[in-house]
Amino acid sequence: MTYIDGYVSPVRDYIDLDIKGRGTYIDFVQSFTSSFLSGVTGHAYGDVKLVGPLGEMDLLGKLAVEGEATVDALGTTYQLIGDTVMFVTNDILVNRVRLKDRYDNTAYLSGGIHHDHLSDLTFDLDVEAENLLAYDFHDFGENTFYGTVFASGNVDLHGRPGEVIARSEERRVGKECRS
């Protein structure tokens, strides 16, 4: 269920909506993340506010989110395990949000998705992983190699849709690759 209370005023050029998520589907996130994520599913619980001038509105509040998504470039699907996502002016913030791969290995995600009033998305994210499934393709497809990689360590991801810069402090990688 999703409960919405408030108003949209074209005359005043303003929106002010209180949104209460009580198991709200998060599948709509796919439209914002389609350049790097697919299969986004899950539910959100909590309260947010969509507020501001119609051309400069913002999302404020916090939600507990549980769901999953596939990182297309890695061929891996991760579950988000009911952690809090904070919405502040022009940022969506996470702090040590727990992720799991299909083998039940855990990683922690921190950082932010930045936006200019819900457009022009960029991101700065840090991942702490311990033996996490980090790459998983079973044939060449469009790639020059394929294989399965489990990794431990820290990686910083920065960029925007279609452009990702990754820096890592690699501790250990277990891999099986074919080229």
Side-chain angles (χ1 to χ4, degrees):
M1 298 292 293
T2 305
Y3 301 95
I4 302 173
D5 185 33
Y7 68 91
V8 178
S9 174
V11 172
R12 293 185 189 156
D13 190 39
Y14 204 80
I15 187 168
D16 190 345
L17 299 176
D18 291 316
I19 304 167
K20 297 179 184 312
R22 305 297 183 259
T24 300
Y25 287 101
I26 63 168
D27 303 32
F28 71 91
V29 171
Q30 181 73 55
S31 63
F32 297 106
T33 61
S34 61
S35 65
F36 59 97
L37 293 178
S38 63
V40 177
T41 62
H43 299 89
Y45 304 84
D47 300 327
V48 294
K49 187 175 196 79
L50 183 59
V51 65
L54 291 177
E56 297 180 5
M57 56 192 152
D58 221 328
L59 202 53
L60 308 171
K62 67 180 176 178
L63 296 171
V65 179
E66 46 189 56
E68 71 175 37
T70 298
V71 180
D72 296 325
L74 303 178
T76 57
T77 299
Y78 301 109
Q79 291 181 323
L80 176 68
I81 313 294
D83 277 316
T84 300
V85 177
M86 298 290 299
F87 298 85
V88 298
T89 302
N90 288 328
D91 277 308
I92 302 167
L93 305 173
V94 293
N95 185 25
R96 289 191 51 83
V97 168
R98 189 167 47 126
L99 303 175
K100 289 195 170 243
D101 66 19
R102 71 171 180 250
Y103 298 104
D104 217 26
N105 300 317
T106 301
Y108 296 95
L109 178 68
S110 297
I113 299 171
H114 320 295
H115 55 88
D116 182 15
H117 304 290
L118 303 179
S119 63
D120 299 324
L121 294 162
T122 62
F123 55 88
D124 294 292
L125 300 168
D126 302 315
V127 180
E128 300 170 46
E130 185 63 42
N131 200 39
L132 187 73
L133 180 61
Y135 186 88
D136 195 30
F137 286 99
H138 299 278
D139 57 41
F140 285 108
E142 307 255 334
N143 300 314
T144 55
F145 62 93
Y146 70 92
T148 300
V149 177
F150 291 86
S152 295
N154 298 330
V155 65
D156 297 328
L157 303 168
H158 307 279
R160 61 186 72 254
E163 177 187 315
V164 178
I165 299 167
R167 286 176 282 195
S168 68
E169 294 176 24
E170 184 181 352
R171 289 194 318 243
R172 183 180 68 245
V173 173
K175 59 188 168 194
E176 176 186 313
C177 294
R178 303 280 187 262
S179 60

